[in-house]
Amino acid sequence: MKITKSTIKQYLKEIIYLIITMTIVANLMSIYRSQSLNDAPLAIKSFQLINHNNYNIDNTKPLLIHFWATWCPTCKMEASNIDFLSKHYQVVTIAVKSGSDAEIQNYLREHNYNYKVVNDIDGSLSRKFQIAGYPTTFIYDKEGKLRFSEVGYTSTFGLWIRLLWAKFK
């Protein structure tokens, strides 16, 4: 079989078409799954982290709350995005049914992640936020109003733009 320029062009067109289609489908699924999330203003003022420190929310900045799990493959792909953003923004992550505090700390250490983590060992926080799939991300403005929610993978750039938008709302 001889590969010609026209064959390569056809394959590239099909690959691009597939990527565009998958992106559209993923976004539609995220919108559909986001409809059942708790969209009430954030009532929580502080979190108990796995290092036993209490983290108080700074009401002068937007807040990203990220629900994830150590057993979730998509969460693993998105973890470096969350880690990067946590160095520049107010980020709290919630590990759902992912083991003990020590097990989660080992996971973070193994992957060199440094974000703040709450252990939702029994899933009670995820139920409160009505989480249906992982990862799920909420972005609140400085008044605690929900500005964005996303179910599934989101790029660093996508999260950064949403945080920037929430900052000026």
Side-chain angles (χ1 to χ4, degrees):
M1 181 173 136
K2 185 176 179 184
I3 299 177
T4 64
K5 281 186 179 183
S6 65
T7 305
I8 292 172
K9 282 183 181 180
Q10 183 61 34
Y11 284 141
L12 286 175
K13 281 182 186 178
E14 288 181 24
I15 290 169
I16 291 169
Y17 176 74
L18 179 65
I19 290 170
I20 291 170
T21 302
M22 289 176 61
T23 302
I24 290 169
V25 168
N27 282 310
L28 289 174
M29 287 176 55
S30 177
I31 290 167
Y32 175 75
R33 288 189 269 173
S34 294
Q35 291 175 353
S36 64
L37 297 173
N38 183 346
D39 61 356
L42 186 63
I44 299 169
K45 302 297 179 203
S46 67
F47 290 95
Q48 178 73 39
L49 303 176
I50 60 173
N51 63 5
H52 305 292
N53 289 337
N54 200 38
Y55 179 75
N56 296 314
I57 296 169
D58 182 349
N59 293 332
T60 65
K61 301 175 185 174
L63 170 68
L64 184 147
I65 298 178
H66 181 71
F67 286 84
W68 62 284
T70 56
W71 44 264
C72 165
T74 308
C75 300
K76 291 176 184 178
M77 291 187 323
E78 189 174 43
S80 62
N81 303 348
I82 301 301
D83 191 56
F84 174 79
L85 290 167
S86 72
K87 294 175 175 98
H88 305 283
Y89 289 95
Q90 184 173 216
V91 174
V92 174
T93 72
I94 301 172
V96 182
K97 298 181 181 180
S98 294
S100 68
D101 291 353
E103 289 170 315
I104 295 169
Q105 285 173 331
N106 286 338
Y107 176 86
L108 296 171
R109 196 172 18 262
E110 284 173 14
H111 295 89
N112 201 28
Y113 298 138
N114 296 302
Y115 40 77
K116 295 169 183 63
V117 180
V118 174
N119 188 357
D120 189 14
I121 199 158
D122 63 355
S124 58
L125 265 175
S126 65
R127 284 190 299 278
K128 183 176 187 172
F129 282 81
Q130 299 170 334
I131 305 299
Y134 301 97
T136 296
T137 305
F138 295 89
I139 296 178
Y140 294 89
D141 65 15
K142 57 188 172 188
E143 281 101 36
K145 293 179 188 168
L146 181 65
R147 292 296 175 188
F148 299 98
S149 60
E150 183 79 31
V151 179
Y153 179 86
T154 307
S155 69
T156 303
F157 182 74
L159 291 169
W160 176 75
I161 289 292
R162 290 175 179 100
L163 280 162
L164 197 59
W165 183 269
K167 183 177 182 175
F168 295 108
K169 277 291 190 173

